[in-house]
Each structure stands twice: as C-alpha cells, then as structure tokens.
Amino acid sequence: MSDKVALPRLDLPGQKTHWAVVAVIGGGVLVLLMAAIFLIVVHKEQAAQEAAARSVEARAREAASQVEKMKLEAAAAVEKAKAAAAAAAAEKARPAGNAVAGDDARKVGSAGSAAANGDSGKTGQKKKGNKLGRKTGRVTAAKGGGPPSEATKKTDASLDALLRGLK
C-alpha cells in the first residue's frame, strides 16, 4: 500500500461561462438601463406639462374672477347711474309740482323756470329749429358723440393688461 494511486485530472468544458451568454446578459442589462432612463425622462416631461396646464388653469380662473369682479363693478356703476338719473328726474319733477299749486304761483313759477332755462317766457309757443328741421343743442356722450368716460377707460386698460399677461 505504499504505492500512490494517481487519479486522472478532470477538466470539464462546462465550468466556464460561454462568451455568448455573457454578451446576452450584458445586452439585457443595458436594455433595462436604457428603458429606466427613458421612463424617468418621460415622467419628468409629463410632470412639467401638467404643471404648465395647472398654471394656465389658475391664470384662467384668476382672469375669470377679475372679469366677474369688473362685471359686478359695472353693474354697481349702472345702478348708481340709474339712481342718479332717478334723483335728477325727481329734482326736475319737484319744481314742476310746486308750479301747479296755484294760479299766481303758476305764473311766477313758469316765468322763473323759463328764465332759468334761457327761455324768453313764451311757454306756449313752439321753439324754432334750424332750417333742416333738426334739433339744436348739445350732443351728449351717451349718444356716442363724446369720448368714453374714465370708468370705461380704466376697465379697458385693465382688460388690456390682463390680456397681455395671458399671452
């Protein structure tokens, strides 16, 4: 038993990974890495688009609220103008009501109001117009003859600024 036994050396060819398998695994890892980068970029772009859409919606809501505020201000201005017109009509009606009170008061009232209006006191006569048959007198701003009022100018300027901000 003193003889040594020599065993054969076993080198199996399957112990090492083939280079083609390493290439396929490496390619797969590379594809997965590129897909992850692509998904990250797409997600960031979508988030930026959603943020831009939210900001546009917020500006549109703000503009709508400003328009509603201006509408309310305009309605208040119209009501104020109606109240002023009613007050002016009441003021005009008040002296006429006092003039009808009595015969002597009527004569004095009509002469006084005619003199105040620039009339010569001939209340029963027809006023002469010009040769073309048109009425003479001032053209008011409500008929479109004059420049727009300050409130209209302010509203137009603020709307212009608002529209410039939306561009």
Side-chain angles (χ1 to χ4, degrees):
M1 294 234 178
S2 65
D3 290 334
K4 293 187 180 181
V5 179
L7 296 173
R9 194 170 182 173
L10 298 172
D11 281 336
L12 298 174
Q15 299 251 337
K16 222 178 189 186
T17 309
H18 194 269
W19 65 270
V21 174
V22 172
V24 168
I25 291 174
V29 168
L30 185 63
V31 167
L32 288 176
L33 183 65
M34 287 174 37
I37 291 171
F38 176 75
L39 289 175
I40 290 171
V41 169
V42 167
H43 177 69
K44 284 186 179 182
E45 286 294 319
Q46 284 179 345
Q49 286 177 354
E50 290 172 1
R54 281 192 301 267
S55 70
V56 167
E57 288 174 4
R59 288 189 341 198
R61 279 192 304 268
E62 182 181 335
S65 68
Q66 286 181 357
V67 167
E68 287 299 319
K69 181 180 173 185
M70 287 181 192
K71 282 182 182 178
L72 291 175
E73 289 174 357
V78 167
E79 290 297 322
K80 189 175 181 181
K82 284 182 182 178
E91 188 68 31
K92 276 188 169 181
R94 199 172 299 139
N98 292 340
V100 179
D103 192 29
D104 292 333
R106 189 176 344 155
K107 291 178 184 175
V108 172
S110 65
S113 66
N117 290 335
D119 196 7
S120 62
K122 301 176 185 177
T123 57
Q125 293 182 358
K126 191 175 185 182
K127 290 186 180 180
K128 277 191 170 182
N130 62 9
K131 291 181 181 179
L132 297 176
R134 295 184 185 147
K135 293 181 180 178
T136 58
R138 294 182 294 163
V139 176
T140 62
K143 293 182 181 177
S149 67
E150 283 297 319
T152 307
K153 287 181 183 177
K154 182 177 180 184
T155 305
D156 292 342
S158 60
L159 284 176
D160 290 341
L162 179 66
L163 292 175
R164 277 190 300 246
L166 290 176
K167 286 184 182 179

